[in-house]
Amino acid sequence: MLEELYEEIILDHYRRPRNKGKVDPSDIAAHGSNPLCGDEVDISARFQDGRIVELKFDGKGCAICTASASIMTQKLIGKTLPEARQLIGSFLNMMRGETSFGGKEMGDLKALEGVLKFPVRVKCATLAWNTTLQGFQQHTDKQS
Ligand code: ZN
């Protein structure tokens, strides 16, 4: 029952991805790929007063990659850079199996827990997140 619900969340985000496209002009733009599956993702974002006001993803990915990117944009918009980094860090730890999945702030992300059973797909689920982190890093480097 629960698995069906989670599958539904993933399929819903895959069919109707949220925040798909490009932010223009953008403060960050990063590209990531996962050759194991053929996923390609472009992340762009704009900050205002220290918060992420726009965050979009583009590219071609499998259902898990696309759903994960779509959920991620919803989770990160409105957050400050440190808050966003922290959430990304927790998610990546969960996807590495280092910490258990949970916490109210995870919401739809719980749907991705099932991916842990398929280690080859973990990279699909983490691609957009790692790419966003990479974009943040470039942004920080530019400012310092
Ligand atoms: Zn994939």
Side-chain angles (χ1 to χ4, degrees), residues 113-134:
E113 186 176 15
V115 176
L116 282 173
K117 281 183 263 172
F118 308 96
V120 284
R121 309 307 298 278
V122 166
K123 277 212 159 83
C124 301
T126 56
L127 178 63
W129 300 73
N130 279 316
T131 307
T132 303
L133 267 190
Q134 199 186 307

Side-chain angles (χ1 to χ4, degrees), residues 26-29 135-144:
S26 65
D27 294 309
I28 70 161
F136 286 168
Q137 194 53 48
Q138 289 163 5
H139 182 65
T140 315
D141 291 347
K142 242 191 286 175
Q143 289 195 323
S144 58

Side-chain angles (χ1 to χ4, degrees), residues 34 37-39 61-65 121 123-125:
N34 170 23
C37 177
D39 304 314
C62 64
I64 293 170
C65 172
R121 309 307 298 278
K123 277 212 159 83
C124 301

Side-chain angles (χ1 to χ4, degrees), residues 25-53:
S26 65
D27 294 309
I28 70 161
H31 176 81
S33 64
N34 170 23
L36 286 176
C37 177
D39 304 314
E40 298 277 339
V41 71
D42 280 292
I43 299 288
S44 52
R46 194 166 62 81
F47 294 93
Q48 198 177 316
D49 302 325
R51 287 185 187 274
I52 301 169
V53 285

Side-chain angles (χ1 to χ4, degrees), residues 33-105:
S33 64
N34 170 23
L36 286 176
C37 177
D39 304 314
E40 298 277 339
V41 71
D42 280 292
I43 299 288
S44 52
R46 194 166 62 81
F47 294 93
Q48 198 177 316
D49 302 325
R51 287 185 187 274
I52 301 169
V53 285
E54 276 189 284
L55 173 64
K56 290 187 177 179
F57 77 100
D58 212 349
K60 260 200 172 129
C62 64
I64 293 170
C65 172
T66 305
S68 183
S70 172
I71 299 169
M72 179 193 77
T73 60
Q74 289 190 314
K75 290 276 159 201
L76 298 185
I77 291 171
K79 292 213 166 8
T80 63
L81 201 55
E83 286 168 351
R85 273 210 166 103
Q86 196 183 14
L87 183 66
I88 294 173
S90 327
F91 177 72
L92 293 176
N93 281 338
M94 288 173 194
M95 291 311 292
R96 277 193 290 261
E98 286 169 7
T99 50
S100 60
F101 248 78
K104 312 191 267 298
E105 85 275 13

